[in-house]
């Protein structure tokens, strides 16, 4: 009883401050000559933000453990507040500018918010109880581009041997793919996946059979953007049908190459630059014969927003169009997990590695582990040490050649290795 009374008092204190913020904005808006709807909306939004944080961190801290409410509750609360703020002045009519009308506009959202935050608190408590029973789900660390270069191979294998990496994806046509296969034969517990590559490098299929996938120098040139555009073409379009036929040929060749390099291993699949999620490629994967069907396909259900990330990294991520990539890949990933479950193909629960791709330092990795601690998932990195930008054997991989010339490749390797110390 005392605990409930204390909670009500805390709610009342936060609510009074929220109402005061709302009232202050209304008065300031009237003094500035704002339209009443705009002033009321601004007051609602400021009061909502205050309530979202204060109620989670203070009022209902026994339920939330001091953590913010899930962000969907803020969306629900804000949506209702916006709706009420726009409609309430019209409903009140001439009473809107009276003292009684102002009180109604101020305390109506307070009552609505009490219901919303109470439900959010119950949800948070139930979630924490489930976590306590189930425990923390495993978070696995994964590296792409094994087989690209000896320096990449050495870094990834050293990290695995130190316990910092659980799995890796292989570029089967990469210059160092054979060396990677020989090294991984001594590491049967190291999980491997085919890193389907369509945007650079030599093809696995006979070039004469896939001319539409190649550039003038005989390299694969079916990048992510081009695949998206082709996916928008009608299926009866001749250009799309030609690409589909040649894409199926290259996909089959890369899978068979993987099976020859790593005999006896299950076929797991993801994509270089995540091309496997584009509708055109996804369709071809689904049409593979049973002997070539993967047992696991990577999905990219990455949470947002991340906490604990320095502003400099956020800024660099925005400059690299990280949020736009995140949104696009989330849209492409929508419904994929359910489809894979129907087909009996496994996938990862959560994922981190799009927003800050190429910049997975210690802060990002720590935040990723925190984000995935409930349902588990995969953290993606691209570590490499000792790589030379002038590596002649990577002439066919211009995108990766530039990417691996960044000092961030070494920083990612260091950040992963720190996890073992």
């Amino acid at each position: 009883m005392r605990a409930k009374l204390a909670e009500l008092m805390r709610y009342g204190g936060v609510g009074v401050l929220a109402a005061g913020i709302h009232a202050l904005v209304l008065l300031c808006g009237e003094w500035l000559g704002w339209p009443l709807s705009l002033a009321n909306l601004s007051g609602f939004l400021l009061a909502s933000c205050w309530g979202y944080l204060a109620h989670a961190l203070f009022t209902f801290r026994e339920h939330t453990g001091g953590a913010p409410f899930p962000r969907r509750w803020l969306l629900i609360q804000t949506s209702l507040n916006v709706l009420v703020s726009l409609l309430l002045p019209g409903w009140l009519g001439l009473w809107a500018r009276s003292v009684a009308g102002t009180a109604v506009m101020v305390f109506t959202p307070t009552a609505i918010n009490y219901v919303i935050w109470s439900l959010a608190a119950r949800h948070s408590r139930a979630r924490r109880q489930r976590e306590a029973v189930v425990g923390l789900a495993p978070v696995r660390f994964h590296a792409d581009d094994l087989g690209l270069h000896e320096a990449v191979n050495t870094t990834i294998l050293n990290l695995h041997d130190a316990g910092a990496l659980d799995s890796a994806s292989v570029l089967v046509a990469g210059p160092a793919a054979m060396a990677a296969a020989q090294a991984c034969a001594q590491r049967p517990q190291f999980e491997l996946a085919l890193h389907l590559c369509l945007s650079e490098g030599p093809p696995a299929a006979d070039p004469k059979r896939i001319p539409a996938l190649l550039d003038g120098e005989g390299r694969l040139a079916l990048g992510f953007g081009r695949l998206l555009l082709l996916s928008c073409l009608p299926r009866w379009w001749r250009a799309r049908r030609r690409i589909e036929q040649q894409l199926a040929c290259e996909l089959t060749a890369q899978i068979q190459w993987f099976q020859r390099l790593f005999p006896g291993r299950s076929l797991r699949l993801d994509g270089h630059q995540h091309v496997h999620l584009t509708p055109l490629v996804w369709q071809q994967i689904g049409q593979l014969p049973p002997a070539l069907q993967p047992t696991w396909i990577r999905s990219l259900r990455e949470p947002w927003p991340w906490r604990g990330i320095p502003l400099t990294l956020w800024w660099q991520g925005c400059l690299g169009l990280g949020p736009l990539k995140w949104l696009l890949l989330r849209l492409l990933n929508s419904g994929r997990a359910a489809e894979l479950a129907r087909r009996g193909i496994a996938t990862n629960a959560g994922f981190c590695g799009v927003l800050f791709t190429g910049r997975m330092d210690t802060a990002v990795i720590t935040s990723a582990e925190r984000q995935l601690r409930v349902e588990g998932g995969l953290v993606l990195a691209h570590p490499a040490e000792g790589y030379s930008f002038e590596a002649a054997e990577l002439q066919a991989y211009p995108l990766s050649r530039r990417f691996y010339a960044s000092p961030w490749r070494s920083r990612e390797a260091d950040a992963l290795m720190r996890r073992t110390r």
Side-chain angles (χ1 to χ4, degrees):
M1 185 64 180
R2 289 183 179 179
K4 187 64 177 178
L5 181 60
E7 181 181 285
L8 289 173
M9 292 179 65
R10 292 195 299 269
Y11 184 88
V14 172
V16 168
L17 287 176
I21 292 171
H22 188 183
L24 180 61
V25 173
L26 276 176
L27 294 175
C28 291
E30 186 175 357
W31 179 70
L32 293 172
W34 291 0
L36 183 59
S37 294
L38 176 60
N40 195 40
L41 175 60
S42 301
F44 268 140
L45 292 176
L46 285 175
S48 296
C49 292
W50 159 255
Y52 169 73
L53 293 173
H55 286 311
L57 303 179
F58 179 64
T59 305
F60 298 106
R61 61 176 180 264
E62 287 86 358
H63 303 285
T64 65
F69 293 126
R71 286 167 292 279
R72 60 180 173 272
W73 290 100
L74 178 60
L75 178 62
I76 294 171
Q77 189 256 6
T78 302
S79 300
L80 285 175
N81 280 346
V82 169
L83 183 63
V84 171
S85 68
L86 294 176
L87 297 179
L88 200 55
W91 290 342
L92 292 174
L94 296 177
W95 288 90
R97 294 189 179 276
S98 66
V99 175
T102 300
V104 170
M105 287 191 291
V106 167
F107 287 102
T108 296
T110 302
I112 293 174
N113 290 340
Y114 175 76
V115 176
I116 294 174
W117 298 135
S118 296
L119 291 174
R122 293 178 184 177
H123 174 271
S124 296
R125 181 179 59 190
R127 182 178 180 180
R128 292 179 67 212
Q129 289 173 345
R130 287 195 302 271
E131 291 177 16
V133 173
V134 176
L136 300 182
V139 176
R140 301 177 64 80
F141 288 82
H142 182 93
D144 276 354
D145 302 331
L146 185 66
L148 177 67
H149 188 272
E150 281 293 347
V152 178
N153 286 2
T154 300
T155 304
I156 290 176
L157 294 171
N158 287 342
L159 288 168
H160 168 69
D161 293 342
L165 277 179
D166 302 291
S167 56
S169 299
V170 184
L171 289 165
V172 293
M178 182 58 71
Q182 294 171 353
C184 290
Q186 309 301 320
R187 298 168 172 85
Q189 302 304 316
F190 193 25
E191 290 187 352
L192 300 175
L194 167 63
H195 201 43
L196 179 63
C197 183
L198 300 171
S199 56
E200 59 178 345
D206 183 351
K208 296 179 181 178
R209 299 183 61 190
I210 56 168
L213 308 188
L214 308 178
D215 61 12
E217 299 181 17
R219 302 177 302 195
L220 289 166
L222 207 57
F224 189 91
R226 187 181 172 196
L227 283 166
L228 276 183
L229 291 175
L230 289 168
S231 300
C232 297
L233 294 177
R235 293 193 175 185
W236 49 264
W237 199 275
R238 183 176 300 177
R240 171 169 176 158
R241 290 169 62 185
R242 183 174 68 253
I243 291 290
E244 286 178 345
Q245 293 170 357
Q246 298 184 21
L247 182 58
C249 180
E250 176 64 20
L251 176 58
T252 298
Q254 290 196 30
I255 290 175
Q256 291 174 337
W257 199 338
F258 178 88
Q259 292 174 332
R260 289 195 299 271
L261 285 174
F262 306 100
R265 289 183 181 258
S266 61
L267 176 61
R268 300 160 60 87
L269 185 143
D270 55 45
H272 192 50
Q273 300 178 333
H274 312 299
V275 294
H276 66 295
L277 287 179
T278 58
L280 195 65
V281 177
W282 189 266
Q283 174 191 345
Q284 296 305 311
I285 294 173
Q287 294 175 358
L288 288 167
L292 301 180
Q293 279 287 340
T295 60
W296 177 94
I297 298 178
R298 184 162 75 195
S299 57
L300 304 181
R301 192 160 60 89
E302 182 169 35
W304 172 289
W306 293 23
R307 301 194 303 273
I309 306 297
L311 290 177
T312 53
L313 280 180
W314 272 110
W315 175 246
Q316 292 170 356
C318 290
L319 290 178
L321 302 180
L324 181 60
K325 295 175 185 176
W326 175 89
L327 177 60
L328 179 59
L329 289 169
R330 279 300 296 259
L331 292 174
L332 290 174
N333 191 76
S334 178
R336 299 301 195 205
E339 179 184 345
L340 291 174
R342 289 194 299 270
R343 292 164 53 189
I345 298 175
T347 189
N348 48 295
F351 180 84
C352 286
V354 172
L355 269 173
F356 300 100
T357 183
R359 296 179 175 85
M360 302 291 286
D361 71 354
T362 301
V364 176
I365 288 174
T366 301
S367 181
E369 289 184 287
R370 183 168 58 246
Q371 291 281 64
L372 300 178
R373 68 182 182 271
V374 176
E375 61 179 358
L378 205 64
V379 179
L380 174 64
H382 299 83
E385 293 181 313
Y387 169 81
S388 171
F389 179 70
E390 300 299 329
E393 60 268 37
L394 295 187
Q395 294 296 329
Y397 291 87
L399 303 176
S400 294
R401 189 181 183 193
R402 291 192 298 270
F403 183 75
Y404 277 89
S406 168
W408 273 100
R409 306 286 65 74
S410 178
R411 295 179 195 174
E412 288 193 3
D414 290 340
L416 288 169
M417 190 62 77
R418 287 194 197 102
R419 297 181 52 248
T420 67
R421 295 170 184 164

